[in-house]
Amino acid sequence: MRIVNIDWQHRAACRDEDPELFFPVSELGPGARQVARAKAVCARCPVRAECLAYALEYGLDHGIFGGLTERERRRVRRRHNVA
């Protein structure tokens, strides 16, 4: 069992936001506006890098973490696996 330090989550800009904001049904149409709003929260977050690293390490496949959508995180993983 791996022990995870998630103290950084207490400093996250999203901690007072509705969690559903970060789980849009789609990235198109109305979902695109939701993605933009979630990314705006991430853009002002002091622990954005930690959040992204957490999502990448644990393979979180849904939602916006560290300012990236699922699709964007998959691209990051592919780039790192190829390099």
PDB file of all heavy atoms in Angstrom, residues 8-27:
ATOM      1  N   TRP A   8      -1.232  19.248  -0.097  1.00  0.00           N
ATOM      2  CA  TRP A   8      -1.355  20.335  -1.066  1.00  0.00           C
ATOM      3  C   TRP A   8      -2.822  20.630  -1.382  1.00  0.00           C
ATOM      4  O   TRP A   8      -3.163  21.760  -1.722  1.00  0.00           O
ATOM      5  CB  TRP A   8      -0.590  20.010  -2.355  1.00  0.00           C
ATOM      6  CG  TRP A   8      -0.993  18.713  -2.993  1.00  0.00           C
ATOM      7  CD1 TRP A   8      -0.421  17.491  -2.803  1.00  0.00           C
ATOM      8  CD2 TRP A   8      -2.060  18.511  -3.917  1.00  0.00           C
ATOM      9  NE1 TRP A   8      -1.067  16.536  -3.551  1.00  0.00           N
ATOM     10  CE2 TRP A   8      -2.083  17.132  -4.246  1.00  0.00           C
ATOM     11  CE3 TRP A   8      -3.012  19.349  -4.510  1.00  0.00           C
ATOM     12  CZ2 TRP A   8      -3.005  16.589  -5.144  1.00  0.00           C
ATOM     13  CZ3 TRP A   8      -3.925  18.802  -5.394  1.00  0.00           C
ATOM     14  CH2 TRP A   8      -3.915  17.435  -5.699  1.00  0.00           C
ATOM     15  N   GLN A   9      -3.707  19.645  -1.248  1.00  0.00           N
ATOM     16  CA  GLN A   9      -5.116  19.853  -1.586  1.00  0.00           C
ATOM     17  C   GLN A   9      -5.775  20.929  -0.725  1.00  0.00           C
ATOM     18  O   GLN A   9      -6.720  21.575  -1.164  1.00  0.00           O
ATOM     19  CB  GLN A   9      -5.892  18.541  -1.471  1.00  0.00           C
ATOM     20  CG  GLN A   9      -5.515  17.561  -2.539  1.00  0.00           C
ATOM     21  CD  GLN A   9      -6.291  16.265  -2.442  1.00  0.00           C
ATOM     22  OE1 GLN A   9      -6.970  16.000  -1.446  1.00  0.00           O
ATOM     23  NE2 GLN A   9      -6.192  15.448  -3.470  1.00  0.00           N
ATOM     24  N   HIS A  10      -5.258  21.148   0.461  1.00  0.00           N
ATOM     25  CA  HIS A  10      -5.819  22.169   1.343  1.00  0.00           C
ATOM     26  C   HIS A  10      -5.556  23.583   0.834  1.00  0.00           C
ATOM     27  O   HIS A  10      -6.206  24.527   1.271  1.00  0.00           O
ATOM     28  CB  HIS A  10      -5.279  22.013   2.771  1.00  0.00           C
ATOM     29  CG  HIS A  10      -5.608  20.686   3.361  1.00  0.00           C
ATOM     30  ND1 HIS A  10      -6.886  20.331   3.742  1.00  0.00           N
ATOM     31  CD2 HIS A  10      -4.834  19.606   3.598  1.00  0.00           C
ATOM     32  CE1 HIS A  10      -6.885  19.099   4.200  1.00  0.00           C
ATOM     33  NE2 HIS A  10      -5.651  18.630   4.129  1.00  0.00           N
ATOM     34  N   ARG A  11      -4.602  23.721  -0.084  1.00  0.00           N
ATOM     35  CA  ARG A  11      -4.274  25.033  -0.651  1.00  0.00           C
ATOM     36  C   ARG A  11      -4.845  25.223  -2.059  1.00  0.00           C
ATOM     37  O   ARG A  11      -4.621  26.230  -2.697  1.00  0.00           O
ATOM     38  CB  ARG A  11      -2.756  25.211  -0.676  1.00  0.00           C
ATOM     39  CG  ARG A  11      -2.125  25.170   0.703  1.00  0.00           C
ATOM     40  CD  ARG A  11      -0.639  25.510   0.729  1.00  0.00           C
ATOM     41  NE  ARG A  11       0.160  24.976  -0.357  1.00  0.00           N
ATOM     42  CZ  ARG A  11       0.729  23.758  -0.386  1.00  0.00           C
ATOM     43  NH1 ARG A  11       0.554  22.922   0.615  1.00  0.00           N
ATOM     44  NH2 ARG A  11       1.475  23.380  -1.410  1.00  0.00           N
ATOM     45  N   ALA A  12      -5.586  24.253  -2.537  1.00  0.00           N
ATOM     46  CA  ALA A  12      -6.104  24.280  -3.902  1.00  0.00           C
ATOM     47  C   ALA A  12      -7.174  25.355  -4.090  1.00  0.00           C
ATOM     48  O   ALA A  12      -8.028  25.555  -3.215  1.00  0.00           O
ATOM     49  CB  ALA A  12      -6.670  22.916  -4.266  1.00  0.00           C
ATOM     50  N   ALA A  13      -7.129  26.017  -5.215  1.00  0.00           N
ATOM     51  CA  ALA A  13      -8.112  27.056  -5.526  1.00  0.00           C
ATOM     52  C   ALA A  13      -9.518  26.475  -5.676  1.00  0.00           C
ATOM     53  O   ALA A  13     -10.504  27.173  -5.476  1.00  0.00           O
ATOM     54  CB  ALA A  13      -7.711  27.786  -6.810  1.00  0.00           C
ATOM     55  N   CYS A  14      -9.613  25.192  -5.983  1.00  0.00           N
ATOM     56  CA  CYS A  14     -10.916  24.566  -6.209  1.00  0.00           C
ATOM     57  C   CYS A  14     -11.601  24.096  -4.939  1.00  0.00           C
ATOM     58  O   CYS A  14     -12.753  23.654  -4.979  1.00  0.00           O
ATOM     59  CB  CYS A  14     -10.762  23.386  -7.171  1.00  0.00           C
ATOM     60  SG  CYS A  14      -9.734  22.053  -6.513  1.00  0.00           S
ATOM     61  N   ARG A  15     -10.950  24.183  -3.813  1.00  0.00           N
ATOM     62  CA  ARG A  15     -11.485  23.579  -2.580  1.00  0.00           C
ATOM     63  C   ARG A  15     -12.851  24.134  -2.187  1.00  0.00           C
ATOM     64  O   ARG A  15     -13.625  23.455  -1.531  1.00  0.00           O
ATOM     65  CB  ARG A  15     -10.496  23.713  -1.435  1.00  0.00           C
ATOM     66  CG  ARG A  15     -10.327  25.108  -0.893  1.00  0.00           C
ATOM     67  CD  ARG A  15      -9.233  25.189   0.174  1.00  0.00           C
ATOM     68  NE  ARG A  15      -9.012  26.544   0.572  1.00  0.00           N
ATOM     69  CZ  ARG A  15      -8.289  27.428  -0.098  1.00  0.00           C
ATOM     70  NH1 ARG A  15      -7.686  27.075  -1.208  1.00  0.00           N
ATOM     71  NH2 ARG A  15      -8.152  28.662   0.343  1.00  0.00           N
ATOM     72  N   ASP A  16     -13.178  25.351  -2.598  1.00  0.00           N
ATOM     73  CA  ASP A  16     -14.478  25.935  -2.267  1.00  0.00           C
ATOM     74  C   ASP A  16     -15.436  25.965  -3.461  1.00  0.00           C
ATOM     75  O   ASP A  16     -16.504  26.567  -3.377  1.00  0.00           O
ATOM     76  CB  ASP A  16     -14.297  27.350  -1.717  1.00  0.00           C
ATOM     77  CG  ASP A  16     -13.540  27.357  -0.395  1.00  0.00           C
ATOM     78  OD1 ASP A  16     -13.742  26.427   0.413  1.00  0.00           O
ATOM     79  OD2 ASP A  16     -12.729  28.280  -0.174  1.00  0.00           O
ATOM     80  N   GLU A  17     -15.041  25.330  -4.545  1.00  0.00           N
ATOM     81  CA  GLU A  17     -15.874  25.276  -5.754  1.00  0.00           C
ATOM     82  C   GLU A  17     -16.738  24.013  -5.734  1.00  0.00           C
ATOM     83  O   GLU A  17     -16.409  23.038  -5.072  1.00  0.00           O
ATOM     84  CB  GLU A  17     -14.993  25.253  -7.010  1.00  0.00           C
ATOM     85  CG  GLU A  17     -14.110  26.470  -7.191  1.00  0.00           C
ATOM     86  CD  GLU A  17     -14.877  27.707  -7.618  1.00  0.00           C
ATOM     87  OE1 GLU A  17     -15.989  27.579  -8.173  1.00  0.00           O
ATOM     88  OE2 GLU A  17     -14.355  28.807  -7.395  1.00  0.00           O
ATOM     89  N   ASP A  18     -17.802  24.030  -6.511  1.00  0.00           N
ATOM     90  CA  ASP A  18     -18.630  22.839  -6.689  1.00  0.00           C
ATOM     91  C   ASP A  18     -17.810  21.815  -7.473  1.00  0.00           C
ATOM     92  O   ASP A  18     -17.356  22.100  -8.581  1.00  0.00           O
ATOM     93  CB  ASP A  18     -19.886  23.219  -7.472  1.00  0.00           C
ATOM     94  CG  ASP A  18     -20.828  22.049  -7.697  1.00  0.00           C
ATOM     95  OD1 ASP A  18     -20.450  20.888  -7.417  1.00  0.00           O
ATOM     96  OD2 ASP A  18     -21.951  22.308  -8.159  1.00  0.00           O
ATOM     97  N   PRO A  19     -17.583  20.635  -6.925  1.00  0.00           N
ATOM     98  CA  PRO A  19     -16.766  19.633  -7.610  1.00  0.00           C
ATOM     99  C   PRO A  19     -17.280  19.279  -9.006  1.00  0.00           C
ATOM    100  O   PRO A  19     -16.499  18.935  -9.891  1.00  0.00           O
ATOM    101  CB  PRO A  19     -16.835  18.404  -6.692  1.00  0.00           C
ATOM    102  CG  PRO A  19     -17.195  18.958  -5.360  1.00  0.00           C
ATOM    103  CD  PRO A  19     -18.029  20.172  -5.622  1.00  0.00           C
ATOM    104  N   GLU A  20     -18.587  19.391  -9.223  1.00  0.00           N
ATOM    105  CA  GLU A  20     -19.150  19.058 -10.539  1.00  0.00           C
ATOM    106  C   GLU A  20     -18.603  19.952 -11.640  1.00  0.00           C
ATOM    107  O   GLU A  20     -18.599  19.555 -12.807  1.00  0.00           O
ATOM    108  CB  GLU A  20     -20.668  19.101 -10.494  1.00  0.00           C
ATOM    109  CG  GLU A  20     -21.228  17.935  -9.694  1.00  0.00           C
ATOM    110  CD  GLU A  20     -22.706  17.756  -9.892  1.00  0.00           C
ATOM    111  OE1 GLU A  20     -23.228  18.147 -10.953  1.00  0.00           O
ATOM    112  OE2 GLU A  20     -23.335  17.215  -8.974  1.00  0.00           O
ATOM    113  N   LEU A  21     -18.153  21.149 -11.291  1.00  0.00           N
ATOM    114  CA  LEU A  21     -17.564  22.044 -12.282  1.00  0.00           C
ATOM    115  C   LEU A  21     -16.410  21.362 -13.006  1.00  0.00           C
ATOM    116  O   LEU A  21     -16.202  21.576 -14.198  1.00  0.00           O
ATOM    117  CB  LEU A  21     -17.066  23.332 -11.603  1.00  0.00           C
ATOM    118  CG  LEU A  21     -16.294  24.314 -12.487  1.00  0.00           C
ATOM    119  CD1 LEU A  21     -17.189  24.856 -13.606  1.00  0.00           C
ATOM    120  CD2 LEU A  21     -15.739  25.445 -11.646  1.00  0.00           C
ATOM    121  N   PHE A  22     -15.680  20.516 -12.315  1.00  0.00           N
ATOM    122  CA  PHE A  22     -14.468  19.899 -12.850  1.00  0.00           C
ATOM    123  C   PHE A  22     -14.723  18.567 -13.546  1.00  0.00           C
ATOM    124  O   PHE A  22     -13.778  17.889 -13.950  1.00  0.00           O
ATOM    125  CB  PHE A  22     -13.431  19.756 -11.735  1.00  0.00           C
ATOM    126  CG  PHE A  22     -13.076  21.090 -11.157  1.00  0.00           C
ATOM    127  CD1 PHE A  22     -13.767  21.598 -10.084  1.00  0.00           C
ATOM    128  CD2 PHE A  22     -12.098  21.872 -11.753  1.00  0.00           C
ATOM    129  CE1 PHE A  22     -13.482  22.864  -9.585  1.00  0.00           C
ATOM    130  CE2 PHE A  22     -11.807  23.132 -11.266  1.00  0.00           C
ATOM    131  CZ  PHE A  22     -12.501  23.629 -10.184  1.00  0.00           C
ATOM    132  N   PHE A  23     -16.002  18.222 -13.712  1.00  0.00           N
ATOM    133  CA  PHE A  23     -16.369  16.974 -14.377  1.00  0.00           C
ATOM    134  C   PHE A  23     -17.437  17.235 -15.437  1.00  0.00           C
ATOM    135  O   PHE A  23     -18.572  16.764 -15.323  1.00  0.00           O
ATOM    136  CB  PHE A  23     -16.853  15.948 -13.346  1.00  0.00           C
ATOM    137  CG  PHE A  23     -15.753  15.521 -12.423  1.00  0.00           C
ATOM    138  CD1 PHE A  23     -15.547  16.184 -11.223  1.00  0.00           C
ATOM    139  CD2 PHE A  23     -14.901  14.486 -12.777  1.00  0.00           C
ATOM    140  CE1 PHE A  23     -14.513  15.808 -10.379  1.00  0.00           C
ATOM    141  CE2 PHE A  23     -13.862  14.111 -11.936  1.00  0.00           C
ATOM    142  CZ  PHE A  23     -13.669  14.765 -10.738  1.00  0.00           C
ATOM    143  N   PRO A  24     -17.072  17.991 -16.490  1.00  0.00           N
ATOM    144  CA  PRO A  24     -18.045  18.283 -17.545  1.00  0.00           C
ATOM    145  C   PRO A  24     -18.416  17.010 -18.306  1.00  0.00           C
ATOM    146  O   PRO A  24     -17.610  16.087 -18.436  1.00  0.00           O
ATOM    147  CB  PRO A  24     -17.306  19.268 -18.449  1.00  0.00           C
ATOM    148  CG  PRO A  24     -15.866  18.986 -18.216  1.00  0.00           C
ATOM    149  CD  PRO A  24     -15.760  18.552 -16.782  1.00  0.00           C
ATOM    150  N   VAL A  25     -19.646  16.965 -18.795  1.00  0.00           N
ATOM    151  CA  VAL A  25     -20.120  15.819 -19.564  1.00  0.00           C
ATOM    152  C   VAL A  25     -19.407  15.758 -20.911  1.00  0.00           C
ATOM    153  O   VAL A  25     -19.143  14.679 -21.424  1.00  0.00           O
ATOM    154  CB  VAL A  25     -21.651  15.911 -19.754  1.00  0.00           C
ATOM    155  CG1 VAL A  25     -22.157  14.820 -20.666  1.00  0.00           C
ATOM    156  CG2 VAL A  25     -22.345  15.854 -18.404  1.00  0.00           C
ATOM    157  N   SER A  26     -19.067  16.912 -21.458  1.00  0.00           N
ATOM    158  CA  SER A  26     -18.432  16.993 -22.768  1.00  0.00           C
ATOM    159  C   SER A  26     -17.521  18.208 -22.803  1.00  0.00           C
ATOM    160  O   SER A  26     -17.652  19.114 -21.998  1.00  0.00           O
ATOM    161  CB  SER A  26     -19.514  17.127 -23.848  1.00  0.00           C
ATOM    162  OG  SER A  26     -18.958  17.470 -25.085  1.00  0.00           O
ATOM    163  N   GLU A  27     -16.608  18.208 -23.764  1.00  0.00           N
ATOM    164  CA  GLU A  27     -15.760  19.384 -23.974  1.00  0.00           C
ATOM    165  C   GLU A  27     -16.329  20.266 -25.083  1.00  0.00           C
ATOM    166  O   GLU A  27     -15.730  21.263 -25.453  1.00  0.00           O
ATOM    167  CB  GLU A  27     -14.345  18.955 -24.334  1.00  0.00           C
ATOM    168  CG  GLU A  27     -13.619  18.280 -23.201  1.00  0.00           C
ATOM    169  CD  GLU A  27     -12.198  17.891 -23.565  1.00  0.00           C
ATOM    170  OE1 GLU A  27     -11.523  18.690 -24.248  1.00  0.00           O
ATOM    171  OE2 GLU A  27     -11.765  16.802 -23.176  1.00  0.00           O
TER     172      GLU A  27
END
